[in-house]
């Protein structure tokens, strides 16, 4: 019996209607929605490494939409709505599990910010609740809610519809669905620059030769800024390592996702038993896919204070993804000063959870050559007009 | 873990330092002459290279002075450091 491949291996054609740069979750989703919703099926997704082997392979799988500002609530809730129908839509299991996400509050400031965010979420039609420490303990029996802790649990926000999904399965499901619609997924093909005629982009240079196209959609995270440097277009982006780790397989001890910004650790337990723990970003710029031990030390110290039972767990491996952070901790989606060139980047720590929503609104933006209504606030121009969407400190995770 | 060569204290653990981003971003000489785009460039846009990067570190748990460091953002190799504004080693890959 021959295993059925999820997508076909393609040679790059000399020309496409649209080229997507980067085959992470966002690139694959963008190509899928270009084909499904806009009838643009003559599309190539160009990937310098292997499919979904970059940051898509290096996140902690958390999905939620409990952001503060209206623009953020709009796009992340749009994504969550798509997540809720994703398995049906793509025809594959992605282990989507709406187990709920708690964001802990550890200071009186945290409490005020969190309650404000719960109210903002509700006004935006997003499910959100404020829980007391005792209510947190009911949902997470292993948590330490002793007031003796240096950063005691003073309550938590709770989004029941939030959860996790398997990142690899998500990428493969999008890849298979895009391939079925005729999209070419081309791995080992690095985009090195652009062909242009004046201010119009006419194609890309790649490690496997030139490809002409009328539309180039960049989904390359921090490398988007590296690529755009070749056009003299500077983006307000900084790349940072963001670390995570997993333990050995354990009996089920936690069946929801618990995040904490103040002490900076977040945890969930995947189906087969590993605890997946995430940290904050390393402060310095970096493209290396490993961060500093000091960040891991802080993360583990926080985890053991909150969940003493974790002291028994053995660490299996650590890794880092590279997050591209904009000054207001919000994405940049939209047109550029070049005709036919579109950017989707700056997602920082929010990229994975946004995957379907980002792909959906970005495909619409690329296909129609104008921002999707949900993408409008995320234009590059906001840094000149000053209309920032400041999710720093509001997004329930530090950047 | 980075081992950062403080020009005054010698090689010290990264945990002793605070990060200050790109080095040598000067305050505009004539702020009134800047239009919105130029202000945006000054406030928000920094280099983001995958490779050598001149950056600032503050030795907060040591001599409490700022220094400039030349570091490769892909490999974390450090080519050298100096007081702010000093010449740093020219590096090629």
């Amino acid at each position: 019996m021959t295993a059925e491949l999820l997508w076909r291996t393609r040679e790059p054609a000399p020309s496409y209607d649209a080229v997507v740069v980067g085959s992470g979750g966002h690139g694959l989703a963008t190509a899928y929605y270009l084909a499904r919703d806009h009838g643009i099926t003559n599309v190539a997704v160009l990937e310098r490494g292997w499919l979904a082997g970059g940051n898509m392979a290096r996140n902690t799988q958390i999905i939620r939409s409990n952001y503060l500002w209206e623009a953020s609530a709009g796009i992340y809730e749009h994504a969550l709505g798509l997540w809720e129908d994703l398995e049906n839509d793509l025809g594959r299991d992605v282990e989507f599990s709406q187990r709920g996400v708690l964001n802990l509050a550890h200071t009186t400031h945290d409490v005020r910010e969190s309650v404000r965010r719960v109210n903002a979420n509700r006004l935006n039609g997003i499910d959100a609740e404020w829980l007391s420490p005792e209510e947190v303990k009911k949902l997470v029996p292993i948590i330490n809610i002793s007031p003796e802790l240096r950063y005691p649990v003073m309550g938590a926000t709770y989004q029941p519809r939030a959860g996790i999904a398997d990142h690899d399965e998500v990428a493969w499901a999008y890849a298979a669905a895009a391939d079925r619609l005729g999209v070419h997924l081309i791995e080992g093909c690095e985009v090195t620059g652009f062909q242009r005629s004046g201010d119009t982009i006419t194609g890309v240079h790649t490690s496997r030769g030139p490809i002409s196209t009328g539309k180039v959609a960049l989904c390359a995270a921090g490398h988007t800024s590296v690529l755009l440097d070749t056009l003299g277009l500077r983006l307000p982006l900084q790349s940072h390592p963001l670390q995570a780790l997993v333990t050995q397989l354990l009996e089920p001890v936690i069946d929801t996702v618990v995040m904490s910004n103040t002490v900076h650790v977040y945890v969930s337990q995947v189906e087969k038993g590993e605890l997946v723990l995430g940290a904050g970003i390393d402060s310095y710029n970096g493209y290396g896919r490993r961060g500093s031990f000091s960040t891991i030390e802080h993360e583990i110290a926080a985890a053991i204070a909150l969940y003493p039972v974790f002291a028994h767990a053995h660490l299996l491996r650590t890794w880092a993804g590279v997050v591209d952070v904009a000054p207001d901790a919000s994405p940049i989606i939209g047109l550029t000063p070049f005709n036919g060139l579109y950017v989707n980047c700056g997602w920082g720590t929010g990229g994975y959870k946004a995957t379907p929503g980002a792909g959906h609104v970005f495909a619409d933006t690329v296909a129609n050559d104008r921002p999707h209504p949900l993408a409008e606030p995320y234009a590059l121009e906001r840094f000149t007009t000053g209309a920032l969407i400041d999710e720093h400190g509001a997004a329930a995770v530090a950047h | 873990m980075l081992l950062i060569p403080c020009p005054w204290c010698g090689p010290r653990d990264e945990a002793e330092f605070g990060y200050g981003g790109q080095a040598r971003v000067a305050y505009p000489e004539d702020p009134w002459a800047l239009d919105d785009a130029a202000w945006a460039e000054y406030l928000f846009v920094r280099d983001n290279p995958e490779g050598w990067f001149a950056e600032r570190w503050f030795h907060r748990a040591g001599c409490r002075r700022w220094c400039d460091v030349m570091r490769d953002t892909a490999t974390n190799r450090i080519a050298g450091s100096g007081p702010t504004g000093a010449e740093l080693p020219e590096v090629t890959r």
Side-chain angles (χ1 to χ4, degrees), chain A residues 187-202:
Chain A
E187 300 169 88
C189 181
E190 181 175 8
V191 173
T192 54
F194 302 90
Q195 302 169 11
R196 56 187 280 200
S197 164
D199 286 342
T200 298
I201 298 299
T202 57

Side-chain angles (χ1 to χ4, degrees), chain A residues 36 79-91 96 98:
Chain A
R36 190 196 77 173
L80 184 49
L82 291 168
W83 278 114
E84 288 177 316
D85 191 42
L86 199 63
E87 296 184 339
N88 182 35
D89 181 7
L90 300 179
F96 180 57
Q98 288 177 291

Side-chain angles (χ1 to χ4, degrees), chain A residues 222-223 225-226 234-239 283-288 292-294 327 383-384 388, chain B residues 1-2 14-15 19 36-37 40-41 44-50 53 55 57 71 73-74 76:
Chain A
H223 285 99
S225 62
V226 175
R234 276 156 58 79
L235 287 184
L237 277 190
Q238 298 281 280
S239 298
S283 64
Y284 53 82
N285 286 35
Y287 285 89
S292 295
F293 291 122
S294 57
F383 298 99
T384 309
L388 304 182
Chain B
M1 184 68 80
L2 307 179
E14 161 202 337
Y19 187 61
D36 288 349
E41 172 83 14
F44 299 126
V45 182
R46 298 290 181 269
D47 294 344
N48 191 31
E50 183 180 20
F53 190 44
E55 62 191 6
W57 289 86
R71 182 179 59 92
T73 62
N76 282 333

Side-chain angles (χ1 to χ4, degrees), chain A residues 81-144:
Chain A
L82 291 168
W83 278 114
E84 288 177 316
D85 191 42
L86 199 63
E87 296 184 339
N88 182 35
D89 181 7
L90 300 179
R92 280 183 65 84
D93 180 13
V94 300
E95 294 175 33
F96 180 57
S97 162
Q98 288 177 291
R99 57 184 63 190
V101 168
L102 291 95
N103 289 97
L104 302 178
H106 300 275
T107 65
T108 48
H109 172 79
D110 275 0
V111 171
R112 280 197 288 266
E113 183 278 320
S114 301
V115 172
R116 179 189 178 201
R117 188 155 42 80
V118 165
N119 291 333
N121 289 162
R122 288 183 169 183
L123 287 169
N124 281 316
I126 293 167
D127 57 322
E129 294 169 38
W130 170 253
L131 304 181
S132 68
E134 293 70 30
E135 288 168 321
V136 172
K137 182 83 180 166
K138 261 187 216 152
L139 277 174
V140 189
I142 59 167
I143 201 167
N144 178 5

Side-chain angles (χ1 to χ4, degrees), chain B residues 26-31 34 38-39 42:
Chain B
Y27 190 78
E29 276 190 26
D30 181 7
L34 268 54
W39 269 117
Y42 168 67

Side-chain angles (χ1 to χ4, degrees), chain A residues 336-347:
Chain A
T336 69
F338 295 90
N339 302 317
L341 181 65
Y342 310 88
V343 290
N344 169 58
C345 59
W347 285 92

Side-chain angles (χ1 to χ4, degrees), chain A residues 179-191:
Chain A
D179 180 86
R180 281 198 302 274
L181 294 171
V183 170
H184 286 196
L185 305 175
I186 302 167
E187 300 169 88
C189 181
E190 181 175 8
V191 173

